[in-house]
Amino acid sequence: MKNPAVEDDDNDGGGARRERPPMDIPDRIETEIAVIGAGLMGSATAWELARRGHAVTLVEAYDIGHRRGSSHGTSRIYRRAYADPEYVRLTGLSGELWRELENNTGTALLRVTGGVDLGAGRDPEGLARLLAEAGVPHELLSPGAAAERWPFMRFEGPALHHPEAGTIDADAAVAAAVTRASELGAQVITGVRFTGAESLPDGRVRLRTEGPEVTASVQPHTEGPETTAGVRPYTEGSEVTAGVQPHTEGSETTAGVRPYTEGSEVTAGVRPRTEGPEITAATVVVAVGPWLPELAGLLGVPVALPPLRVTQQQVFHFLSRDPEARWPIFVHTDGPQIYGLPSGGDGGSLPAVKVAQHDAGKPVTATTRDGVVDPASRDIVTSHVRRWLPGLDPVPLTEASCLYTITPDEDFVLDRVGPFVIVSPCSGHGAKFAPLIGRMTADLALGHTAPHPRFALRRFT
Ligand SMILES: Cc1cc2nc3c(=O)[nH]c(=O)nc-3n(C[C@H](O)[C@H](O)[C@H](O)COP(=O)(O)OP(=O)(O)OC[C@H]3O[C@@H](n4cnc5c(N)ncnc54)[C@H](O)[C@@H]3O)c2cc1C
């Protein structure tokens, strides 16, 4: 089967599409382990399984690096500071595996910046005690000492600094893991959507899929429609208000701009998706991020998922007034929980800091989300920047939306149900664990371990 899929013209998910060379996809695929979903978790799992020498087929509904899920963008926080000793331990294991993934792929992924925790709700002293118990280097600074170290931030109480924190380039991580998995023999098929499963008498699973959308002639598309007079066609989400620079992965900011539709084609001559390959596997890893609540019922076995809340989050990038300022990542809880980190490429060509509210997001589903940034969240974040971050120009350069999948206790789901391994490590803090999740998922898929008790499904029953 030929895959005549089209792909985004650039990595911003927008603009005209170009045809990529057709991918040869057989009508039938026999594999040891099928991994559905090539976000941070599925790609890390495929890499881990491939480097252990197993036959893996990674199945992704869209293109690698697309912006409809949870893993796009150049900036995620990596930190050791958690108010929970188990997560402190896991961040250490995961930090080692990030370095391994970097070495294995020759790609820089984790950039150390140091991290700052502040605000009464964040309890810097309590976090310091936990880091001390775990032997993680850290300092507790007075407001004056902190302001001297980071003159572009304001402090009214103690601040915890730990030097091991930093940022992860999520886009680069997904690309590196997929590329390396493929080099190690994994089969990677994109534009192919899992639609259902049946168990075979021999214990294996047969997956049904849909193939790619077929476009006869490619015209400017909409990954998100557009266009209002005076507003440029945009990308997966967003546009451009006067005074706000064009941006990439985000959402609508302009009054009068229609909400977007996550990829609906507008090109005449686009045919619906075709039948995709039939994939038979001994084990199937389901790493579909925010699509999990919609897809769990298609596995053909009962999966007792907890109530998962999918929310549409928004992030904002602000210009650093001093291009030489070395921004740490930070988490500031004084009322709303605000986090920030150097933006990387998502902020544009000038140094910028991504700032967002962790505990705000409207409930959506992965297929019905609209990509529209919540103006109330923009107000809260902008007010925070004005009050606490004098080193930033308080008008967002760009903004973007992204999906959280949240469990009731904010621990992950990572468990095995028959031949399926269910992988849902998000709750807004999963990225930093991706290579560790890849390893834990591989162990579950190969039957080497029981699930981590904190991530087991049985905790909800
Ligand atoms: C705004 C935001 C900020 C965040 N910040 C941080 C942070 O600072 N630090 C941190 O540690 N974590 C952070 N996170 C969390 C982290 O990004 C997520 O935990 C992680 O991206 C989840 O990855 P995933 O692979 O589970 O999901 P996804 O990236 O959504 O991947 C799922 C994949 O499955 C594919 N798929 C879905 N359905 C099908 C199907 N039927 N067939 C085939 N493929 C399918 C999708 O196309 C997608 O590619 C943040 C998340 C967001 C949204």
Side-chain angles (χ1 to χ4, degrees), residues 138-441:
H138 65 281
E139 321 160 71
L140 201 53
L141 300 170
S142 68
E148 210 167 295
R149 177 115 31 121
W150 302 286
F152 36 82
M153 299 170 74
R154 278 201 185 102
F155 298 88
E156 287 183 356
L160 169 73
H161 172 239
H162 71 295
E164 289 179 24
T167 61
I168 292 155
D169 186 332
D171 281 340
V174 170
V178 171
T179 302
R180 189 68 190 128
S182 170
E183 287 167 358
L184 292 167
Q187 182 179 30
V188 180
I189 54 176
T190 57
V192 171
R193 185 192 303 275
F194 158 78
T195 55
E198 63 182 304
S199 297
L200 301 176
D202 63 5
R204 291 181 306 153
V205 180
R206 186 183 295 142
L207 303 179
R208 290 185 298 281
T209 67
E210 284 176 345
E213 289 154 345
V214 181
T215 311
S217 66
V218 179
Q219 291 168 15
H221 86 114
T222 69
E223 187 156 299
E226 248 324 283
T227 41
T228 310
V231 177
R232 299 188 324 154
Y234 82 115
T235 62
E236 168 159 333
S238 237
E239 241 334 277
V240 187
T241 315
V244 177
Q245 291 183 355
H247 75 103
T248 54
E249 56 167 358
S251 292
E252 293 296 340
T253 57
T254 313
V257 177
R258 292 183 302 157
Y260 84 118
T261 56
E262 189 76 37
S264 56
E265 294 290 345
V266 291
T267 313
V270 175
R271 287 192 281 130
R273 282 176 174 260
T274 57
E275 203 171 292
E278 188 181 275
I279 302 169
T280 308
T283 305
V284 177
V285 172
V286 183
V288 293
W291 283 266
L292 181 58
E294 297 166 54
L295 295 182
L298 304 179
L299 299 178
V301 300
V303 178
L305 281 182
L308 292 172
R309 212 156 43 88
V310 176
T311 60
Q312 183 170 272
Q313 305 292 131
Q314 40 273 312
V315 303
F316 305 89
H317 298 272
F318 296 88
L319 183 68
S320 176
R321 295 185 199 274
D322 174 3
E324 302 302 319
R326 296 170 68 86
W327 285 85
I329 67 99
F330 59 86
V331 182
H332 187 160
T333 312
D334 242 338
Q337 187 177 104
I338 305 289
Y339 65 89
L341 63 158
S343 296
D346 287 348
S349 55
L350 297 172
V353 175
K354 168 168 135 179
V355 188
Q357 187 181 358
H358 173 69
D359 50 6
K362 72 174 177 184
V364 294
T365 71
T367 45
T368 61
R369 57 84 69 96
D370 60 12
V372 176
V373 163
D374 177 1
S377 179
R378 188 189 299 119
D379 286 348
I380 288 172
V381 170
T382 304
S383 304
H384 183 94
V385 170
R386 283 184 203 285
R387 172 155 184 218
W388 294 102
L389 303 169
L392 297 180
D393 180 342
V395 178
L397 283 173
T398 72
E399 53 194 31
S401 75
C402 183
L403 299 177
Y404 277 1
T405 309
I406 308 171
T407 60
D409 55 11
E410 299 197 5
D411 284 345
F412 305 142
V413 169
L414 186 50
D415 204 343
R416 186 165 179 140
V417 180
F420 295 97
V421 180
I422 312 292
V423 184
S424 181
C426 184
S427 292
H429 67 115
K432 67 180 71 56
F433 301 101
L436 177 63
I437 297 293
R439 173 171 288 190
M440 294 167 98
T441 306

Side-chain angles (χ1 to χ4, degrees), residues 7-10 14-18 218-221 234:
E7 67 181 4
D8 294 335
D9 201 24
D10 55 34
R17 285 184 165 189
R18 64 186 158 81
V218 179
Q219 291 168 15
H221 86 114
Y234 82 115

